[in-house]
Amino acid sequence: MEAEGLLVPQVLWLLLWVQPCRGSAEVRLEAGGRRCAGRVEVKHEGQWGTVCGFGWDMKDAAVVCKQLGCGSALQAPRYGYFGPGSGPIWLSRLDCQGTETALSECSHAGWGKHNCIHAWDAGVICSGFVQLVGGDSPCSGRVEIRDGDQWRTVCDSHFDLKAANVICRELQCGTALSVPGAAPFGEGVGPIWDKELQCVGNESLLPSCPRMSLSNQTCSHANDAGVTCTQYTGFRLVNGSTACSGRVEIQVLGTWGTLCDSRWDIPDAHVLCHQLSCGFAESVPGGGHFGRGTGPVWRDTFHCDGTESHLGQCPVTALGAFPCSHDNDAGVVCSGPSGSLRLMDGGSRCDGRVEMPLHGTWSRVLDDQWDMNDASVVCRQLQCGEAEQAYNPPKPERGRGPVGLRRVQCAGKETRLTLCNTSLPEAALAGIAEDVGVVCSGSRRVRLVNGTGCCAGRVEIYYQGTWGTVCDDSWDLSDATVVCRQLGCGVAVQATGSARFGGGSGQIWLDDVNCSGGEAALWVCPHGGWGQHNCRHKEHAGVVCSEFMALRLENSDGCSGRLQVFYNGTWGSVCSNSMTPDTVSLVCKELGCGDGGSIEINVPSGRVSSPTWLDRVECGKTNSSFWQCPSAPWNPQSCDDQREVTHITCNGRRPETSSAPVAKCPNSTSCTEMEKIRAVGGEDRCSGRVEVWHHGSWGTVCDDSWDMKDAEVACRQLGCGPAMSVVGEAVFGEGTGSIWLKQVECRGTELSLWDCWARPGDSDTCQHKEDASVNCSAAPRMMTTSPLRADATQVRARESGRVSVPVVICIILGALLCLLLALLVGQVQSARAQRRGSRRSLEPFSEAVYQEIDYSWAWEKEAQFSHSDVPVLPRGDPADGYDDAREVSDPGEDLVPGQGDWEAPREAEEGVGPGEAQRGESLHSRKSDRAPGAKRAALSLPPVDTGYDDAEEASLAHPHEDTKAVRLDPGAKRSPSLGPGEPTSAMWLGAPGTEERSVQLGEP
């Protein structure tokens, strides 16, 4: 019993010791963008959970900041400020005094006891001791240190890489990539810290570093220090035959994994070899050449150009990458460090000033007789192709280090520069000879400039050490395909011309490029020769590749709405599964819409009609770009319900481009696609100047590169069927206000212009005299055609002060219809006259025809018509203006046998008058428009029979095989118009230009 009694105090002491240990539950802050801000999460029973925001205050937040070593509490946000968490809600109704050392020491309702939801999760913003400001992520920016209640900048002369590594580690941003000085992220404001950090480099927190006070502070904000951190904390080559070959393995925030080889290429490998002091890359064997690795397979894609000094400096994308296994681990074989050369200050790995290693130091090569033989050896040693140029750099580009070689004399066949005849460096003569440089054929590069990202823009080629452009003559999709493949940007979506991505400057290297599409490089394709062209800088070629990506929030303000990405030439939505506040924050920052936002959850259900490209996008604090975030692979059907589509509202707004008040969308508080476009100035809503609704107002579209594909999409969005024609240069009048879009590039299949690739319009490069227009095939549907509508159209036409092309066409068609009706009436009257004439005895018609020709009333009327303002149609009919040519036969021939012996009665001669002349002149001859008065007079005369009309009757009464000669050949030409009183001769009918079947009138 005594033993048991002795154990009691020991057990009590153990319990007292264990209880505080159990009470000191681990705490972390999530989704705040940095270590000392975010949603409060507590670990209990091996599982992380959240804290309810009911009753959450500054005292509770102060305990969290103290426990994490994050300074003092600045804010205690609650109700899901940093987004809802997941898992259990461990703590509720906390009541801290502020003096506790751990959150679990505060009184609370009990573990897991709550009446709360994750939408009310508590958060904390602590002051911390360090922050990076002004960068594109929380892991890069100007260094600022918390001193009391103030943030102070740090002078770059008192800051080094060791301190930068500690800062990156404390901010959970990996390791320091660079420590730029001279205020690279902008100048700060306020005081400058008067101490110097003396970190060893292995400290976990900045307060652990020793510091030294500075008595004489001479630094200004122009010397503010900056830091760029990278999540890539280590690189190594594994399982190779040498230290400079093997499987590529990368450490990301402390975790080692292999790299997928799907996009790994020589430029990327060059950077890694240089980073590891292994020379340059000789090859990049893939497919697990160096064996299968272990751990995760990183799907990051590096977009290096080969000149970077660290892989972390290359642009990186991971969004939409497909899964990869260890069977596809990337590898590299580097040249090795011994005896290597390097080329400095060039535009690529294969051009620049020559340097070589000497006693562990990179040294200069000097020569005053440097030639192509020497350059050939350098290019061969670096595996950079053939030498294209040997030169001595100008004085500003000369090196400043020690001299390694001088007076090099190569035969041109050597494999290494050190095998040539050389002289050892002599200090006394070091300044006499000049630095040497080379340009190798391997220096040729292609890039896309002035686009968004590296997969769209103006095509530029690096040749002989100079960047130049490509002319758009004969530029097509096959040429663009070669460029996209060369850049690792997928396939070509568009091949653009007319300097859509802006005019370049300097050299125009290539013209008349004619690729088949399978070439390995653009300069391999047939072309007009380097520097041979007939172009200007307004004719540059451009490319949009399938891997080109863009981001937007689809709404009038651009800072709220459906989240969409542009990929493979089409806009598509992003699904909301696994969407985090970090992702939302990064989207808003990238769009210039503040530093955070919220996800809309009250979205109506419905099937998604457009592509949904992405799902499970999971951005972290180390990601400086949305495109670096891992996600599920690209899939146009990632989700199919509207409720799964991400809708974001950012906490900031873009600066307005116009001071005009923002109006509501016409007819609705939320525009539909059809309501966001209209055609103005045409005859109806399906033709006119194209205007689109954006930022709460209507604006126009610039006609730069506006074509039928763009017009097809505009007509489809208008609900007006296919496009009939595309017009520019403000044919339907100049618009007013903003020019919202320019250089629109549609594929023709998009549902609206907003789904096409385009650049924002501006008044500097495009004016309203270049407004784009369309003519669509379908007219607007109308229930009735009312006079009010017609009157309104006339009023609009009068008010516009111009007559459009469709109006002119309608007038001409109307005039033609009237002429056809008049001709029909004339034919009917002629037929009636012929029937009446058939009841009379048959009469010869020669004299009647002569009198008809001599009578000039018809020609007087024709001359009168020829001065009319009504448009005259083309005269291709042989009977135009003189129809008697139809009625007569060739000389010496009778229309009907015996016809020449007939005598013309005197009554027929006396009976000739205006009425007969009018009938004798066929209405078919009147292709020109008649004056209204003249036409009414002609049609109102009573029909009077003449011998002329009897000619046709006679041929009907005496059929003969030669009667076909009465029909005049369509190629016969009309007579010239004669004025009043001008004599006419029957011999004119036989003049040159008439057909042989025309008739000469005369004696039989």
mmCIF file of all heavy atoms in Angstrom, residues 626-660:
data_model
loop_
_atom_site.group_PDB
_atom_site.id
_atom_site.type_symbol
_atom_site.label_atom_id
_atom_site.label_comp_id
_atom_site.label_asym_id
_atom_site.label_seq_id
_atom_site.Cartn_x
_atom_site.Cartn_y
_atom_site.Cartn_z
ATOM 1 N N PHE A 626 -0.783 31.729 -63.108
ATOM 2 C CA PHE A 626 -1.864 30.753 -63.174
ATOM 3 C C PHE A 626 -1.450 29.530 -63.979
ATOM 4 O O PHE A 626 -1.869 28.404 -63.707
ATOM 5 C CB PHE A 626 -3.093 31.414 -63.801
ATOM 6 C CG PHE A 626 -4.293 30.516 -63.922
ATOM 7 C CD1 PHE A 626 -5.087 30.228 -62.822
ATOM 8 C CD2 PHE A 626 -4.644 29.964 -65.143
ATOM 9 C CE1 PHE A 626 -6.193 29.397 -62.934
ATOM 10 C CE2 PHE A 626 -5.746 29.141 -65.279
ATOM 11 C CZ PHE A 626 -6.530 28.857 -64.167
ATOM 12 N N TRP A 627 -0.588 29.736 -64.975
ATOM 13 C CA TRP A 627 -0.186 28.645 -65.868
ATOM 14 C C TRP A 627 0.780 27.676 -65.206
ATOM 15 O O TRP A 627 1.020 26.593 -65.721
ATOM 16 C CB TRP A 627 0.436 29.228 -67.144
ATOM 17 C CG TRP A 627 -0.354 30.379 -67.662
ATOM 18 C CD1 TRP A 627 0.025 31.678 -67.702
ATOM 19 C CD2 TRP A 627 -1.693 30.348 -68.171
ATOM 20 N NE1 TRP A 627 -0.984 32.474 -68.211
ATOM 21 C CE2 TRP A 627 -2.044 31.676 -68.506
ATOM 22 C CE3 TRP A 627 -2.614 29.331 -68.384
ATOM 23 C CZ2 TRP A 627 -3.290 32.009 -69.032
ATOM 24 C CZ3 TRP A 627 -3.858 29.663 -68.904
ATOM 25 C CH2 TRP A 627 -4.184 30.981 -69.219
ATOM 26 N N GLN A 628 1.329 28.041 -64.051
ATOM 27 C CA GLN A 628 2.216 27.143 -63.321
ATOM 28 C C GLN A 628 1.449 26.175 -62.426
ATOM 29 O O GLN A 628 2.035 25.234 -61.895
ATOM 30 C CB GLN A 628 3.186 27.952 -62.464
ATOM 31 C CG GLN A 628 4.141 28.831 -63.240
ATOM 32 C CD GLN A 628 5.024 29.671 -62.321
ATOM 33 O OE1 GLN A 628 4.932 29.576 -61.104
ATOM 34 N NE2 GLN A 628 5.859 30.503 -62.909
ATOM 35 N N CYS A 629 0.173 26.401 -62.252
ATOM 36 C CA CYS A 629 -0.598 25.602 -61.309
ATOM 37 C C CYS A 629 -0.879 24.209 -61.874
ATOM 38 O O CYS A 629 -1.268 24.077 -63.038
ATOM 39 C CB CYS A 629 -1.926 26.284 -60.987
ATOM 40 S SG CYS A 629 -1.728 27.976 -60.365
ATOM 41 N N PRO A 630 -0.711 23.180 -61.073
ATOM 42 C CA PRO A 630 -1.076 21.830 -61.535
ATOM 43 C C PRO A 630 -2.588 21.689 -61.641
ATOM 44 O O PRO A 630 -3.350 22.359 -60.936
ATOM 45 C CB PRO A 630 -0.504 20.921 -60.440
ATOM 46 C CG PRO A 630 -0.429 21.791 -59.226
ATOM 47 C CD PRO A 630 -0.153 23.181 -59.717
ATOM 48 N N SER A 631 -3.017 20.817 -62.542
ATOM 49 C CA SER A 631 -4.445 20.607 -62.750
ATOM 50 C C SER A 631 -4.653 19.263 -63.417
ATOM 51 O O SER A 631 -3.700 18.573 -63.783
ATOM 52 C CB SER A 631 -5.028 21.718 -63.625
ATOM 53 O OG SER A 631 -4.591 21.569 -64.970
ATOM 54 N N ALA A 632 -5.910 18.908 -63.610
ATOM 55 C CA ALA A 632 -6.239 17.742 -64.424
ATOM 56 C C ALA A 632 -5.873 18.039 -65.878
ATOM 57 O O ALA A 632 -5.761 19.198 -66.268
ATOM 58 C CB ALA A 632 -7.716 17.410 -64.287
ATOM 59 N N PRO A 633 -5.678 17.021 -66.695
ATOM 60 C CA PRO A 633 -5.288 17.259 -68.092
ATOM 61 C C PRO A 633 -6.354 18.042 -68.863
ATOM 62 O O PRO A 633 -7.525 18.069 -68.488
ATOM 63 C CB PRO A 633 -5.132 15.837 -68.653
ATOM 64 C CG PRO A 633 -4.930 14.961 -67.473
ATOM 65 C CD PRO A 633 -5.702 15.588 -66.364
ATOM 66 N N TRP A 634 -5.890 18.657 -69.970
ATOM 67 C CA TRP A 634 -6.816 19.371 -70.846
ATOM 68 C C TRP A 634 -7.906 18.417 -71.349
ATOM 69 O O TRP A 634 -7.622 17.323 -71.827
ATOM 70 C CB TRP A 634 -6.075 19.958 -72.049
ATOM 71 C CG TRP A 634 -5.103 21.041 -71.720
ATOM 72 C CD1 TRP A 634 -3.745 20.941 -71.692
ATOM 73 C CD2 TRP A 634 -5.409 22.394 -71.379
ATOM 74 N NE1 TRP A 634 -3.185 22.145 -71.352
ATOM 75 C CE2 TRP A 634 -4.180 23.059 -71.154
ATOM 76 C CE3 TRP A 634 -6.586 23.111 -71.238
ATOM 77 C CZ2 TRP A 634 -4.104 24.403 -70.800
ATOM 78 C CZ3 TRP A 634 -6.526 24.452 -70.884
ATOM 79 C CH2 TRP A 634 -5.299 25.085 -70.669
ATOM 80 N N ASN A 635 -9.141 18.879 -71.223
ATOM 81 C CA ASN A 635 -10.279 18.069 -71.665
ATOM 82 C C ASN A 635 -11.440 19.024 -71.943
ATOM 83 O O ASN A 635 -11.876 19.729 -71.031
ATOM 84 C CB ASN A 635 -10.669 17.058 -70.588
ATOM 85 C CG ASN A 635 -11.836 16.177 -71.011
ATOM 86 O OD1 ASN A 635 -12.349 16.294 -72.126
ATOM 87 N ND2 ASN A 635 -12.257 15.306 -70.117
ATOM 88 N N PRO A 636 -11.935 19.073 -73.177
ATOM 89 C CA PRO A 636 -13.013 20.031 -73.480
ATOM 90 C C PRO A 636 -14.329 19.717 -72.787
ATOM 91 O O PRO A 636 -15.258 20.511 -72.843
ATOM 92 C CB PRO A 636 -13.155 19.921 -75.012
ATOM 93 C CG PRO A 636 -12.598 18.592 -75.365
ATOM 94 C CD PRO A 636 -11.524 18.308 -74.362
ATOM 95 N N GLN A 637 -14.405 18.550 -72.120
ATOM 96 C CA GLN A 637 -15.618 18.192 -71.386
ATOM 97 C C GLN A 637 -15.257 17.834 -69.948
ATOM 98 O O GLN A 637 -15.645 16.799 -69.422
ATOM 99 C CB GLN A 637 -16.327 17.028 -72.072
ATOM 100 C CG GLN A 637 -16.819 17.365 -73.473
ATOM 101 C CD GLN A 637 -17.471 16.189 -74.167
ATOM 102 O OE1 GLN A 637 -17.206 15.034 -73.829
ATOM 103 N NE2 GLN A 637 -18.311 16.469 -75.139
ATOM 104 N N SER A 638 -14.516 18.722 -69.299
ATOM 105 C CA SER A 638 -14.085 18.459 -67.920
ATOM 106 C C SER A 638 -15.259 18.436 -66.958
ATOM 107 O O SER A 638 -15.212 17.763 -65.930
ATOM 108 C CB SER A 638 -13.067 19.522 -67.484
ATOM 109 O OG SER A 638 -11.892 19.431 -68.253
ATOM 110 N N CYS A 639 -16.314 19.190 -67.247
ATOM 111 C CA CYS A 639 -17.553 19.136 -66.473
ATOM 112 C C CYS A 639 -18.682 19.552 -67.399
ATOM 113 O O CYS A 639 -18.449 20.221 -68.410
ATOM 114 C CB CYS A 639 -17.496 20.028 -65.227
ATOM 115 S SG CYS A 639 -17.113 21.764 -65.540
ATOM 116 N N ASP A 640 -19.898 19.168 -67.075
ATOM 117 C CA ASP A 640 -21.012 19.432 -67.996
ATOM 118 C C ASP A 640 -22.185 20.157 -67.364
ATOM 119 O O ASP A 640 -23.207 20.357 -68.010
ATOM 120 C CB ASP A 640 -21.500 18.120 -68.620
ATOM 121 C CG ASP A 640 -21.917 17.085 -67.577
ATOM 122 O OD1 ASP A 640 -21.969 17.434 -66.388
ATOM 123 O OD2 ASP A 640 -22.187 15.933 -67.971
ATOM 124 N N ASP A 641 -22.060 20.569 -66.113
ATOM 125 C CA ASP A 641 -23.150 21.278 -65.439
ATOM 126 C C ASP A 641 -22.706 22.692 -65.093
ATOM 127 O O ASP A 641 -21.572 22.898 -64.638
ATOM 128 C CB ASP A 641 -23.572 20.548 -64.166
ATOM 129 C CG ASP A 641 -24.910 21.039 -63.642
ATOM 130 O OD1 ASP A 641 -25.009 22.240 -63.290
ATOM 131 O OD2 ASP A 641 -25.862 20.242 -63.572
ATOM 132 N N GLN A 642 -23.573 23.644 -65.307
ATOM 133 C CA GLN A 642 -23.249 25.046 -65.024
ATOM 134 C C GLN A 642 -22.837 25.257 -63.573
ATOM 135 O O GLN A 642 -22.030 26.146 -63.277
ATOM 136 C CB GLN A 642 -24.472 25.931 -65.339
ATOM 137 C CG GLN A 642 -24.825 26.037 -66.806
ATOM 138 C CD GLN A 642 -23.936 27.025 -67.541
ATOM 139 O OE1 GLN A 642 -22.976 27.549 -66.980
ATOM 140 N NE2 GLN A 642 -24.248 27.275 -68.795
ATOM 141 N N ARG A 643 -23.372 24.463 -62.674
ATOM 142 C CA ARG A 643 -23.048 24.651 -61.255
ATOM 143 C C ARG A 643 -21.597 24.282 -60.941
ATOM 144 O O ARG A 643 -21.071 24.679 -59.903
ATOM 145 C CB ARG A 643 -23.998 23.806 -60.394
ATOM 146 C CG ARG A 643 -25.416 24.322 -60.375
ATOM 147 C CD ARG A 643 -26.335 23.377 -59.651
ATOM 148 N NE ARG A 643 -26.445 22.093 -60.337
ATOM 149 C CZ ARG A 643 -27.260 21.115 -59.947
ATOM 150 N NH1 ARG A 643 -28.018 21.271 -58.878
ATOM 151 N NH2 ARG A 643 -27.315 19.978 -60.620
ATOM 152 N N GLU A 644 -20.962 23.511 -61.822
ATOM 153 C CA GLU A 644 -19.568 23.137 -61.612
ATOM 154 C C GLU A 644 -18.595 24.133 -62.227
ATOM 155 O O GLU A 644 -17.387 24.024 -61.997
ATOM 156 C CB GLU A 644 -19.314 21.757 -62.219
ATOM 157 C CG GLU A 644 -20.086 20.632 -61.569
ATOM 158 C CD GLU A 644 -19.770 19.306 -62.217
ATOM 159 O OE1 GLU A 644 -18.726 18.710 -61.878
ATOM 160 O OE2 GLU A 644 -20.556 18.864 -63.088
ATOM 161 N N VAL A 645 -19.103 25.074 -63.007
ATOM 162 C CA VAL A 645 -18.241 26.062 -63.653
ATOM 163 C C VAL A 645 -17.870 27.148 -62.643
ATOM 164 O O VAL A 645 -18.708 27.610 -61.864
ATOM 165 C CB VAL A 645 -18.949 26.673 -64.878
ATOM 166 C CG1 VAL A 645 -18.132 27.820 -65.455
ATOM 167 C CG2 VAL A 645 -19.179 25.601 -65.932
ATOM 168 N N THR A 646 -16.617 27.553 -62.647
ATOM 169 C CA THR A 646 -16.117 28.534 -61.679
ATOM 170 C C THR A 646 -16.568 29.939 -62.053
ATOM 171 O O THR A 646 -16.358 30.390 -63.183
ATOM 172 C CB THR A 646 -14.584 28.498 -61.626
ATOM 173 O OG1 THR A 646 -14.151 27.167 -61.335
ATOM 174 C CG2 THR A 646 -14.059 29.456 -60.570
ATOM 175 N N HIS A 647 -17.180 30.625 -61.090
ATOM 176 C CA HIS A 647 -17.523 32.038 -61.222
ATOM 177 C C HIS A 647 -16.826 32.790 -60.087
ATOM 178 O O HIS A 647 -16.974 32.422 -58.921
ATOM 179 C CB HIS A 647 -19.035 32.266 -61.142
ATOM 180 C CG HIS A 647 -19.781 31.754 -62.340
ATOM 181 N ND1 HIS A 647 -19.968 30.415 -62.586
ATOM 182 C CD2 HIS A 647 -20.386 32.413 -63.364
ATOM 183 C CE1 HIS A 647 -20.665 30.264 -63.708
ATOM 184 N NE2 HIS A 647 -20.921 31.452 -64.197
ATOM 185 N N ILE A 648 -16.053 33.779 -60.438
ATOM 186 C CA ILE A 648 -15.228 34.491 -59.460
ATOM 187 C C ILE A 648 -15.600 35.968 -59.448
ATOM 188 O O ILE A 648 -15.860 36.570 -60.503
ATOM 189 C CB ILE A 648 -13.730 34.326 -59.793
ATOM 190 C CG1 ILE A 648 -13.300 32.871 -59.569
ATOM 191 C CG2 ILE A 648 -12.854 35.271 -58.970
ATOM 192 C CD1 ILE A 648 -11.870 32.583 -59.956
ATOM 193 N N THR A 649 -15.601 36.555 -58.269
ATOM 194 C CA THR A 649 -15.724 37.997 -58.107
ATOM 195 C C THR A 649 -14.478 38.487 -57.370
ATOM 196 O O THR A 649 -14.246 38.123 -56.218
ATOM 197 C CB THR A 649 -16.985 38.374 -57.308
ATOM 198 O OG1 THR A 649 -18.137 37.903 -58.005
ATOM 199 C CG2 THR A 649 -17.073 39.889 -57.145
ATOM 200 N N CYS A 650 -13.657 39.274 -58.047
ATOM 201 C CA CYS A 650 -12.417 39.777 -57.454
ATOM 202 C C CYS A 650 -12.705 40.987 -56.570
ATOM 203 O O CYS A 650 -13.724 41.677 -56.736
ATOM 204 C CB CYS A 650 -11.419 40.146 -58.552
ATOM 205 S SG CYS A 650 -10.901 38.743 -59.560
ATOM 206 N N ASN A 651 -11.786 41.258 -55.653
ATOM 207 C CA ASN A 651 -12.001 42.374 -54.720
ATOM 208 C C ASN A 651 -11.480 43.703 -55.263
ATOM 209 O O ASN A 651 -11.522 44.711 -54.573
ATOM 210 C CB ASN A 651 -11.351 42.079 -53.368
ATOM 211 C CG ASN A 651 -9.848 41.835 -53.484
ATOM 212 O OD1 ASN A 651 -9.218 42.173 -54.494
ATOM 213 N ND2 ASN A 651 -9.269 41.233 -52.453
ATOM 214 N N GLY A 652 -10.970 43.715 -56.477
ATOM 215 C CA GLY A 652 -10.505 44.957 -57.091
ATOM 216 C C GLY A 652 -11.151 45.169 -58.439
ATOM 217 O O GLY A 652 -11.890 44.323 -58.948
ATOM 218 N N ARG A 653 -10.885 46.295 -59.020
ATOM 219 C CA ARG A 653 -11.424 46.632 -60.327
ATOM 220 C C ARG A 653 -10.324 47.198 -61.194
ATOM 221 O O ARG A 653 -9.423 47.902 -60.706
ATOM 222 C CB ARG A 653 -12.553 47.663 -60.212
ATOM 223 C CG ARG A 653 -13.834 47.097 -59.611
ATOM 224 C CD ARG A 653 -14.492 46.096 -60.548
ATOM 225 N NE ARG A 653 -15.694 45.515 -59.985
ATOM 226 C CZ ARG A 653 -15.723 44.396 -59.267
ATOM 227 N NH1 ARG A 653 -14.590 43.750 -59.021
ATOM 228 N NH2 ARG A 653 -16.854 43.915 -58.803
ATOM 229 N N ARG A 654 -10.391 46.904 -62.476
ATOM 230 C CA ARG A 654 -9.451 47.497 -63.412
ATOM 231 C C ARG A 654 -9.755 48.971 -63.570
ATOM 232 O O ARG A 654 -10.915 49.387 -63.475
ATOM 233 C CB ARG A 654 -9.575 46.833 -64.781
ATOM 234 C CG ARG A 654 -9.075 45.405 -64.828
ATOM 235 C CD ARG A 654 -9.341 44.818 -66.197
ATOM 236 N NE ARG A 654 -8.826 43.468 -66.315
ATOM 237 C CZ ARG A 654 -9.087 42.678 -67.343
ATOM 238 N NH1 ARG A 654 -9.839 43.116 -68.330
ATOM 239 N NH2 ARG A 654 -8.584 41.470 -67.402
ATOM 240 N N PRO A 655 -8.751 49.793 -63.809
ATOM 241 C CA PRO A 655 -9.026 51.210 -64.084
ATOM 242 C C PRO A 655 -9.822 51.350 -65.361
ATOM 243 O O PRO A 655 -9.552 50.696 -66.362
ATOM 244 C CB PRO A 655 -7.623 51.818 -64.232
ATOM 245 C CG PRO A 655 -6.723 50.667 -64.521
ATOM 246 C CD PRO A 655 -7.312 49.481 -63.838
ATOM 247 N N GLU A 656 -10.840 52.191 -65.305
ATOM 248 C CA GLU A 656 -11.693 52.392 -66.477
ATOM 249 C C GLU A 656 -10.929 53.127 -67.559
ATOM 250 O O GLU A 656 -10.178 54.060 -67.298
ATOM 251 C CB GLU A 656 -12.945 53.196 -66.096
ATOM 252 C CG GLU A 656 -13.880 52.452 -65.156
ATOM 253 C CD GLU A 656 -14.512 51.238 -65.824
ATOM 254 O OE1 GLU A 656 -14.651 51.247 -67.053
ATOM 255 O OE2 GLU A 656 -14.856 50.285 -65.107
ATOM 256 N N THR A 657 -11.150 52.690 -68.799
ATOM 257 C CA THR A 657 -10.514 53.355 -69.938
ATOM 258 C C THR A 657 -11.274 54.599 -70.358
ATOM 259 O O THR A 657 -10.789 55.397 -71.126
ATOM 260 C CB THR A 657 -10.432 52.407 -71.131
ATOM 261 O OG1 THR A 657 -11.759 51.940 -71.455
ATOM 262 C CG2 THR A 657 -9.574 51.193 -70.790
ATOM 263 N N SER A 658 -12.469 54.761 -69.867
ATOM 264 C CA SER A 658 -13.272 55.926 -70.248
ATOM 265 C C SER A 658 -13.976 56.431 -69.015
ATOM 266 O O SER A 658 -14.343 55.678 -68.114
ATOM 267 C CB SER A 658 -14.291 55.545 -71.332
ATOM 268 O OG SER A 658 -15.173 56.617 -71.557
ATOM 269 N N SER A 659 -14.163 57.725 -68.971
ATOM 270 C CA SER A 659 -14.851 58.329 -67.837
ATOM 271 C C SER A 659 -16.363 58.307 -68.009
ATOM 272 O O SER A 659 -17.092 58.781 -67.162
ATOM 273 C CB SER A 659 -14.385 59.781 -67.672
ATOM 274 O OG SER A 659 -14.649 60.512 -68.855
ATOM 275 N N ALA A 660 -16.847 57.772 -69.125
ATOM 276 C CA ALA A 660 -18.274 57.717 -69.372
ATOM 277 C C ALA A 660 -18.929 56.796 -68.348
ATOM 278 O O ALA A 660 -18.374 55.775 -67.959
ATOM 279 C CB ALA A 660 -18.552 57.218 -70.783
#
